[in-house]
PDB file of all heavy atoms in Angstrom:
ATOM      1  N   THR A 249     -60.018  19.213 154.966  1.00 53.00           N
ATOM      2  CA  THR A 249     -61.156  19.541 154.214  1.00 53.00           C
ATOM      3  C   THR A 249     -61.596  20.975 154.503  1.00 53.00           C
ATOM      4  O   THR A 249     -61.850  21.259 155.689  1.00 53.00           O
ATOM      5  CB  THR A 249     -62.373  18.497 154.383  1.00 53.00           C
ATOM      6  OG1 THR A 249     -61.889  17.199 154.153  1.00 53.00           O
ATOM      7  CG2 THR A 249     -63.548  18.908 153.544  1.00 53.00           C
ATOM      8  N   PRO A 250     -61.584  21.741 153.568  1.00 55.00           N
ATOM      9  CA  PRO A 250     -61.926  23.214 153.905  1.00 55.00           C
ATOM     10  C   PRO A 250     -63.400  23.301 154.335  1.00 55.00           C
ATOM     11  O   PRO A 250     -64.229  22.588 153.873  1.00 55.00           O
ATOM     12  CB  PRO A 250     -61.744  23.995 152.607  1.00 55.00           C
ATOM     13  CG  PRO A 250     -61.905  22.935 151.531  1.00 55.00           C
ATOM     14  CD  PRO A 250     -61.232  21.631 152.211  1.00 55.00           C
ATOM     15  N   GLU A 251     -63.600  24.081 155.275  1.00 58.00           N
ATOM     16  CA  GLU A 251     -64.957  24.246 155.864  1.00 58.00           C
ATOM     17  C   GLU A 251     -65.829  24.962 154.827  1.00 58.00           C
ATOM     18  O   GLU A 251     -65.422  25.992 154.260  1.00 58.00           O
ATOM     19  CB  GLU A 251     -64.983  25.014 157.237  1.00 58.00           C
ATOM     20  CG  GLU A 251     -64.335  24.273 158.292  1.00 58.00           C
ATOM     21  CD  GLU A 251     -64.334  25.016 159.640  1.00 58.00           C
ATOM     22  OE1 GLU A 251     -64.827  26.167 159.586  1.00 58.00           O
ATOM     23  OE2 GLU A 251     -63.720  24.562 160.653  1.00 58.00           O
ATOM     24  N   PRO A 252     -67.105  24.521 154.664  1.00 58.00           N
ATOM     25  CA  PRO A 252     -67.934  25.330 153.755  1.00 58.00           C
ATOM     26  C   PRO A 252     -68.227  26.699 154.239  1.00 58.00           C
ATOM     27  O   PRO A 252     -68.389  26.930 155.354  1.00 58.00           O
ATOM     28  CB  PRO A 252     -69.225  24.520 153.669  1.00 58.00           C
ATOM     29  CG  PRO A 252     -69.274  23.712 154.983  1.00 58.00           C
ATOM     30  CD  PRO A 252     -67.814  23.564 155.292  1.00 58.00           C
ATOM     31  N   VAL A 253     -68.025  27.510 153.285  1.00 58.00           N
ATOM     32  CA  VAL A 253     -68.266  28.931 153.604  1.00 58.00           C
ATOM     33  C   VAL A 253     -69.797  29.259 153.381  1.00 58.00           C
ATOM     34  O   VAL A 253     -70.209  29.107 152.212  1.00 58.00           O
ATOM     35  CB  VAL A 253     -67.437  29.830 152.689  1.00 58.00           C
ATOM     36  CG1 VAL A 253     -67.731  31.417 152.946  1.00 58.00           C
ATOM     37  CG2 VAL A 253     -65.938  29.526 152.848  1.00 58.00           C
ATOM     38  N   THR A 254     -70.432  29.745 154.432  1.00 59.00           N
ATOM     39  CA  THR A 254     -71.883  30.016 154.342  1.00 59.00           C
ATOM     40  C   THR A 254     -71.970  31.492 154.293  1.00 59.00           C
ATOM     41  O   THR A 254     -71.421  32.190 155.119  1.00 59.00           O
ATOM     42  CB  THR A 254     -72.542  29.516 155.647  1.00 59.00           C
ATOM     43  OG1 THR A 254     -71.991  30.006 156.698  1.00 59.00           O
ATOM     44  CG2 THR A 254     -72.498  27.999 155.620  1.00 59.00           C
ATOM     45  N   THR A 255     -72.669  31.931 153.216  1.00 60.00           N
ATOM     46  CA  THR A 255     -72.829  33.382 153.033  1.00 60.00           C
ATOM     47  C   THR A 255     -74.319  33.665 153.552  1.00 60.00           C
ATOM     48  O   THR A 255     -75.308  33.026 153.174  1.00 60.00           O
ATOM     49  CB  THR A 255     -72.731  33.773 151.606  1.00 60.00           C
ATOM     50  OG1 THR A 255     -73.668  33.119 150.802  1.00 60.00           O
ATOM     51  CG2 THR A 255     -71.261  33.493 151.109  1.00 60.00           C
ATOM     52  N   ALA A 256     -74.417  34.777 154.357  1.00 60.00           N
ATOM     53  CA  ALA A 256     -75.720  35.297 154.799  1.00 60.00           C
ATOM     54  C   ALA A 256     -76.492  35.760 153.580  1.00 60.00           C
ATOM     55  O   ALA A 256     -76.001  36.432 152.739  1.00 60.00           O
ATOM     56  CB  ALA A 256     -75.542  36.178 155.884  1.00 60.00           C
ATOM     57  N   PRO A 257     -77.821  35.442 153.597  1.00 62.00           N
ATOM     58  CA  PRO A 257     -78.598  36.011 152.578  1.00 62.00           C
ATOM     59  C   PRO A 257     -78.735  37.413 152.597  1.00 62.00           C
ATOM     60  O   PRO A 257     -78.791  37.973 153.690  1.00 62.00           O
ATOM     61  CB  PRO A 257     -79.976  35.402 152.762  1.00 62.00           C
ATOM     62  CG  PRO A 257     -80.090  34.963 154.214  1.00 62.00           C
ATOM     63  CD  PRO A 257     -78.527  34.635 154.520  1.00 62.00           C
ATOM     64  N   PRO A 258     -78.822  38.119 151.478  1.00 64.00           N
ATOM     65  CA  PRO A 258     -78.812  39.644 151.509  1.00 64.00           C
ATOM     66  C   PRO A 258     -80.222  40.083 152.226  1.00 64.00           C
ATOM     67  O   PRO A 258     -81.223  39.392 152.189  1.00 64.00           O
ATOM     68  CB  PRO A 258     -78.907  39.903 149.967  1.00 64.00           C
ATOM     69  CG  PRO A 258     -79.445  38.755 149.259  1.00 64.00           C
ATOM     70  CD  PRO A 258     -78.935  37.574 150.137  1.00 64.00           C
ATOM     71  N   PRO A 259     -80.102  41.119 152.916  1.00 64.00           N
ATOM     72  CA  PRO A 259     -81.297  41.547 153.586  1.00 64.00           C
ATOM     73  C   PRO A 259     -82.398  41.938 152.575  1.00 64.00           C
ATOM     74  O   PRO A 259     -82.244  42.423 151.616  1.00 64.00           O
ATOM     75  CB  PRO A 259     -80.790  42.831 154.441  1.00 64.00           C
ATOM     76  CG  PRO A 259     -79.570  43.253 153.673  1.00 64.00           C
ATOM     77  CD  PRO A 259     -78.918  42.031 153.118  1.00 64.00           C
ATOM     78  N   ALA A 260     -83.665  41.523 153.038  1.00 62.00           N
ATOM     79  CA  ALA A 260     -84.735  41.881 152.239  1.00 62.00           C
ATOM     80  C   ALA A 260     -85.003  43.397 152.204  1.00 62.00           C
ATOM     81  O   ALA A 260     -84.895  44.026 153.155  1.00 62.00           O
ATOM     82  CB  ALA A 260     -86.078  41.212 152.853  1.00 62.00           C
ATOM     83  N   PRO A 261     -85.208  43.888 150.996  1.00 61.00           N
ATOM     84  CA  PRO A 261     -85.520  45.422 150.898  1.00 61.00           C
ATOM     85  C   PRO A 261     -86.714  45.806 151.653  1.00 61.00           C
ATOM     86  O   PRO A 261     -87.775  45.134 151.609  1.00 61.00           O
ATOM     87  CB  PRO A 261     -85.589  45.611 149.361  1.00 61.00           C
ATOM     88  CG  PRO A 261     -86.084  44.298 148.813  1.00 61.00           C
ATOM     89  CD  PRO A 261     -85.399  43.210 149.741  1.00 61.00           C
TER      90      PRO A 261
END
Side-chain angles (χ1 to χ4, degrees):
T249 304
E251 296 181 359
V253 179
T254 57
T255 57

